[in-house]
Amino acid sequence: FGHWEAGGAVDPDHLFAWTWDARPVPAFPENTDLWADGGNWQTGHWLNGRLGAATAGDVIRAVLADHGFFDVDVSDVAGDVTGYVQAEQGSAREVLEPLMQALSIDAVEDGGVLRFRSRLKLAANVVSIDVLAEDGDAAAYEETRGHGSDFAAEAMIEFFDATADYGRATARSRRAGTASERVLRLSPPAVLHEGMAAGAVEDALKDHQAGRRQVRFSLSPAELTLEPGDVVAFEEGPV
């Protein structure tokens, strides 16, 4: 809506939200034996089950506002969160870290503003690095790979399911052929839709496995604009 409102190509007074389906939530879309189009709900145009829900960015902004911090940018945060539970008193960091870990969200400080960013959302904006800093005879970069047994082959996320009276539910993801019995366990106190939870645990396992490979390098002063979480590519170096 913000895109079209600011673009000028469409009259914002003639933008409408639709459609409200007469079928009751959560029977629709969950009961696919009765309604075969239930699987289309996640990416469809239905308002049912969406009004009143929040995004991960909304949750982060609200938690920080409760702690008196308002200089926040969540425009690069992706993911839907139906609800979030704060059962005990704690710092904003303690409240938000489980959600950030589960949804692969990073935070950086930029000029007094806390910027929260989803790693996978940034993957489309790759910054090309042409020059690395030289350190005498040392190599321009150092690459290491961890042993597969040190990393989880399976990830599971535990969440509250609104379609099951807010009971606990679990979604899992596993990498076939990985020689490890380790399990990455995520337990954000969040109310998630089943599809969102399944996508989050899959992304978390991919991100965890990607950590097996690490590349260390030094940047020239010309690259000081780069921040933690940025995705980079090298003109000459590791792929």
Side-chain angles (χ1 to χ4, degrees):
F1 179 81
H3 170 79
W4 291 113
E5 187 178 35
V10 177
D11 182 358
D13 292 332
H14 290 78
L15 292 176
F16 302 93
W18 71 300
T19 296
W20 189 266
D21 200 299
R23 294 171 290 185
V25 173
F28 174 79
E30 300 297 330
N31 190 348
T32 54
D33 290 335
L34 182 59
W35 293 300
D37 62 336
N40 297 333
W41 178 86
Q42 290 189 45
T43 55
H45 54 250
W46 290 278
L47 297 178
N48 306 52
R50 290 194 171 99
L51 295 181
T55 66
D58 293 332
V59 171
I60 292 171
R61 188 188 295 111
V63 169
L64 290 174
D66 286 345
H67 288 76
F69 195 91
F70 301 94
D71 294 329
V72 180
D73 181 3
V74 294
S75 58
D76 286 326
V77 173
D80 295 325
V81 179
T82 305
Y84 201 67
V85 180
Q86 182 177 349
E88 322 180 326
Q89 289 187 343
S91 67
R93 179 173 183 171
E94 290 172 336
V95 174
L96 291 177
E97 276 189 338
L99 179 68
M100 294 172 61
Q101 182 186 16
L103 300 188
S104 302
I105 298 172
D106 296 314
V108 297
E109 184 180 357
D110 181 13
V113 177
L114 270 180
R115 302 191 187 278
F116 292 82
R117 310 188 298 177
S118 297
R119 290 173 211 157
L120 293 180
K121 188 173 182 180
L122 294 177
N125 303 317
V126 179
V127 179
S128 179
I129 298 178
D130 301 325
V131 179
L132 295 177
E134 295 184 359
D135 184 14
D137 295 331
Y141 63 89
E142 176 184 328
E143 182 176 355
T144 59
R145 291 179 182 268
H147 194 276
S149 61
D150 294 331
F151 292 82
E154 181 180 6
M156 60 177 291
I157 183 171
E158 191 178 47
F159 61 98
F160 295 107
D161 187 352
T163 65
D165 291 332
Y166 296 94
R168 283 286 189 177
T170 302
R172 295 174 179 268
S173 177
R174 182 169 181 81
R175 287 284 174 272
T178 304
S180 174
E181 298 298 325
R182 296 179 181 267
V183 177
L184 175 65
R185 300 179 185 274
L186 305 168
S187 299
V191 183
L192 302 176
H193 184 267
E194 182 180 358
M196 177 64 202
V201 74
E202 177 72 15
D203 292 341
L205 184 57
K206 288 180 180 178
D207 186 71
H208 174 74
Q209 287 282 341
R212 290 180 57 187
R213 183 189 184 201
Q214 297 186 6
V215 178
R216 297 179 181 271
F217 55 91
S218 298
L219 293 173
S220 73
E223 306 290 355
L224 292 180
T225 57
L226 289 174
E227 297 178 331
D230 284 343
V231 180
V232 300
F234 301 95
E235 288 292 328
E236 296 183 6
V239 178

